[in-house]
Amino acid sequence: EADIYQTPRYLVIGTGKKITLECSQTMGHDKMYWYQQDPGMELHLIHYSYGVNSTEKGDLSSESTVSRIRTEHFPLTLESARPSHTSQYLCASSVPGGRAFEQYFGPGTRLTVT
Amino acid sequence: AQKVTQAQTEISVVEKEDVTLDCVYETRDTTYYLFWYKQPPSGELVFLIRRNSFDEQNEISGRYSWNFQKSTSSFNFTITASQVVDSAVYFCALYRGSTLGRLYFGRGTQLTVWP
């Protein structure tokens, strides 16, 4: 069973607030990912990281930022939340090396910005 | 470009019916992996199956079966004798054989099984 955690699971917040979505994994995986999922839509990669101090933007342009100071921790921050940020955010990590296709997903954070 | 198409947005069946979820993919890579994930209302993604591009054998796991056909770029998923607990959104995904390790997801198919 994968050990990847996301907090909070649900968040309702007002416009303009700064928020951080937490993601942690205890498997020692180097690669971590953030996906954004709007209702009825596919998951879009918004950020990824190859390891500590390595972060890259994904396909979907996002106003969020990420950091990777520790291997196990990959938080996502929105400096000023807007209603367009309402979505589900899924964090994932993958096995190092040639088996990077084995991705483990966290339970997700459902964000609602009012 | 990589692309995954799930043409069926929503499917409704009555319990015990068989149902097939379609997935068509597009890639120029020769090495790739295909996946099916289940997303129940709670929101997490549950891994169901992975196939690599060199293995076209169909697979059966209990009530689930998968039909991979490279000739038509399809990777369809069949649930036999569906149950209410099968109600969920099902995603097909494609992984490129590159170092990035990213997945390309289809839009998902909402399956509702009525008692």
Side-chain angles (χ1 to χ4, degrees):
Chain A
E1 189 169 318
D3 295 320
I4 182 163
Y5 309 99
Q6 289 186 246
T7 57
R9 291 293 311 277
Y10 303 92
L11 179 62
V12 180
I13 201 164
T15 297
K17 300 289 186 183
K18 177 180 179 178
I19 57 171
T20 296
L21 308 185
E22 301 288 348
C23 175
S24 297
Q25 50 92 8
T26 59
M27 299 170 282
H29 290 169
D30 290 328
K31 295 178 182 173
M32 296 188 72
Y33 315 83
W34 276 103
Y35 292 88
Q36 182 175 340
Q37 182 185 22
D38 294 328
M41 301 289 286
E42 67 264 42
L43 284 75
H44 288 287
L45 181 69
I46 53 173
H47 297 284
Y48 60 94
S49 167
Y50 284 123
V52 171
N53 294 326
S54 154
T55 61
E56 300 286 346
K57 289 189 178 294
D59 292 335
L60 187 67
S61 175
S62 174
E63 294 168 348
S64 59
T65 59
V66 292
S67 63
R68 190 88 184 277
I69 299 172
R70 303 196 317 264
T71 298
E72 63 271 20
H73 194 212
F74 191 39
L76 181 145
T77 298
L78 280 164
E79 291 292 334
S80 179
R82 297 193 284 134
S84 60
H85 296 140
T86 295
S87 191
Q88 166 147 274
Y89 294 84
L90 286 157
C91 180
S93 69
S94 66
V95 179
R99 296 188 65 81
F101 49 75
E102 289 186 22
Q103 290 198 6
Y104 298 91
F105 284 85
T109 294
R110 288 188 193 272
L111 173 65
T112 302
V113 183
T114 60
Chain B
Q2 273 51 237
K3 189 176 176 182
V4 177
T5 302
Q6 294 179 254
Q8 305 148 308
T9 305
E10 296 181 24
I11 299 176
S12 288
V13 298
V14 177
E15 223 173 6
K16 298 184 183 176
E17 285 185 20
D18 298 348
V19 58
T20 295
L21 309 182
D22 297 332
C23 174
V24 174
Y25 63 93
E26 187 180 318
T27 181
R28 292 179 181 173
D29 292 346
T30 55
T31 301
Y32 54 89
Y33 294 84
L34 295 164
F35 297 78
W36 276 97
Y37 287 89
K38 174 181 180 180
Q39 187 177 45
S42 52
E44 74 272 25
L45 280 178
V46 178
F47 167 80
L48 295 178
I49 190 172
R50 176 185 69 241
R51 305 297 286 174
N52 72 52
S53 52
F54 300 107
D55 183 2
E56 286 191 73
Q57 275 194 336
N58 292 329
E59 183 158 338
I60 298 174
S61 175
R63 296 184 297 108
Y64 295 168
S65 62
W66 292 269
N67 184 337
F68 176 27
Q69 291 194 341
K70 286 178 76 171
S71 60
T72 56
S73 296
S74 65
F75 186 44
N76 296 337
F77 172 31
T78 298
I79 301 175
T80 304
S82 59
Q83 300 176 0
V84 172
V85 294
D86 295 328
S87 296
V89 180
Y90 290 85
F91 288 95
C92 182
L94 167 72
Y95 171 88
R96 295 180 64 192
S98 67
T99 58
L100 170 57
R102 52 142 332 136
L103 289 167
Y104 295 84
F105 286 86
R107 288 198 163 200
T109 298
Q110 170 71 59
L111 173 65
T112 302
V113 182
W114 298 100

